[in-house]
Amino acid sequence: FFRVHAMPKRETKNYTPETAFVEGLIHDPFTFFCVYCSEFAIILDVPLEKLPRRKTDCAFVIPTPETQLHRNNMEEGDCKLLKREKGTERQYRWLCRGCKLVLAYRSTDFKDSGGALYLKEGAVTRNTAINLTALAEKTVNIPECICVTEIGVKVILNVTMGAPVPCTVVDILNKAVLLQVKSSIKKEIIHYLIEKFFATLLGVQETLVGVTVVQETEKESETSLAMQELLEADKEKVLE
């Protein structure tokens, strides 16, 4: 007698970054879209505010694209030679597949697997509703974090540290505008810095911009009158 054993069926699965995330193989990927036309651009394992910044042009640095970049939907562009303060810089540029504008660049050839990838500041967003072309045509939806009140326009901000410049906008999500300030800025005067930043950005007087901290502990918010006077005296010096 011969005993016949049935062989188990073998099944092969091919995972894309999207299906791998759904099935739990990749945790918390962050999908970014072109800020100019909303075309899908890249998937990263960290949000922009967690990435280091380049001092030269404030670009977001992805040190190890081979591990941090889950998917790159940008297309190869041309190579540009830029003049810098200490010489020249060669940039191999990545373009949006939709509008063909520059979203990122690297200093090594496209065929080279090594080297950091630099995302241009303000080029990508996690909010698919952000579309500068539509904004120019006045057909874009305004995020929930920006609303009109009885006394003016209210904007909800999420502020983190780590910018190479005093203050910069990282992204505009539906629930909040992500703002990043320089780590050396004193915590006590951050709201003054934000007021100055938005006043300059909007082209209005600083007296028309007000910032209220809503997620600060009582201990952090208690400031003596003497300290307030010192902060006022030191404010303009730090903001320069």
Side-chain angles (χ1 to χ4, degrees):
F1 294 95
F2 295 92
R3 182 173 295 175
V4 179
H5 297 275
M7 296 295 293
K9 292 183 179 180
R10 298 182 62 183
E11 183 179 359
T12 302
K13 288 187 177 181
N14 294 319
Y15 288 98
T16 64
E18 293 85 352
T19 57
F21 168 61
V22 172
E23 300 197 21
L25 299 182
I26 296 178
H27 301 284
D28 300 329
F30 296 88
T31 303
F32 296 91
F33 304 86
C34 173
V35 74
Y36 306 106
C37 70
S38 297
E39 177 73 22
F40 164 56
I42 56 172
I43 298 179
L44 298 176
D45 66 347
V46 292
L48 292 181
E49 58 269 25
K50 297 294 184 180
L51 292 173
R53 305 289 291 274
R54 191 181 183 200
K55 293 184 179 181
T56 306
D57 56 2
C58 295
F60 297 94
V61 184
I62 306 174
T64 55
E66 62 273 13
T67 58
Q68 293 180 291
L69 185 62
H70 292 314
R71 183 172 177 182
N72 181 1
N73 193 50
M74 300 178 291
E75 64 180 36
E76 297 178 3
D78 55 0
C79 177
K80 292 289 185 179
L81 191 64
L82 304 181
K83 186 177 181 180
R84 296 296 191 191
E85 183 178 352
K86 296 182 179 181
T88 58
E89 175 187 339
R90 192 178 300 275
Q91 289 186 359
Y92 295 86
R93 298 183 167 182
W94 290 93
L95 311 179
C96 170
R97 289 186 181 274
C99 62
K100 309 302 180 183
L101 293 177
V102 180
L103 301 183
Y105 63 89
R106 59 187 305 171
S107 58
T108 55
D109 190 88
F110 297 113
K111 298 178 181 179
D112 188 353
S113 58
L117 178 68
Y118 302 93
L119 277 175
K120 292 179 67 68
E121 183 184 37
V124 297
T125 176
R126 289 165 56 192
N127 190 350
T128 55
I130 301 298
N131 184 317
L132 294 186
T133 303
L135 182 62
E137 299 172 355
K138 298 181 179 180
T139 59
V140 69
N141 294 323
I142 304 299
E144 293 180 8
C145 61
I146 303 175
C147 62
V148 179
T149 67
E150 295 180 355
I151 60 174
V153 178
K154 176 183 177 182
V155 181
I156 300 176
L157 305 175
N158 186 333
V159 182
T160 59
M161 312 294 284
V165 293
C167 190
T168 181
V169 174
V170 175
D171 201 353
I172 303 176
L173 304 182
N174 197 41
K175 297 297 183 181
V177 175
L178 303 185
L179 210 65
Q180 199 171 55
V181 299
K182 201 169 185 177
S183 298
S184 60
I185 298 294
K186 294 181 179 179
K187 186 176 181 180
E188 294 84 356
I189 64 166
I190 286 179
H191 62 290
Y192 293 117
L193 171 65
I194 296 175
E195 288 176 359
K196 186 179 183 69
F197 173 76
F198 275 100
T200 304
L201 185 67
L202 299 174
V204 299
Q205 296 180 358
E206 291 184 41
T207 54
L208 298 178
V209 180
V211 175
T212 302
V213 179
V214 296
Q215 291 185 344
E216 190 175 33
T217 63
E218 293 183 1
K219 183 178 180 180
E220 291 173 336
S221 61
E222 291 178 356
T223 306
S224 65
L225 180 61
M227 179 62 73
Q228 287 283 9
E229 294 176 352
L230 290 174
L231 294 178
E232 287 290 336
D234 194 39
K235 178 176 63 175
E236 292 299 326
K237 180 180 178 180
V238 177
L239 295 180
E240 292 179 354

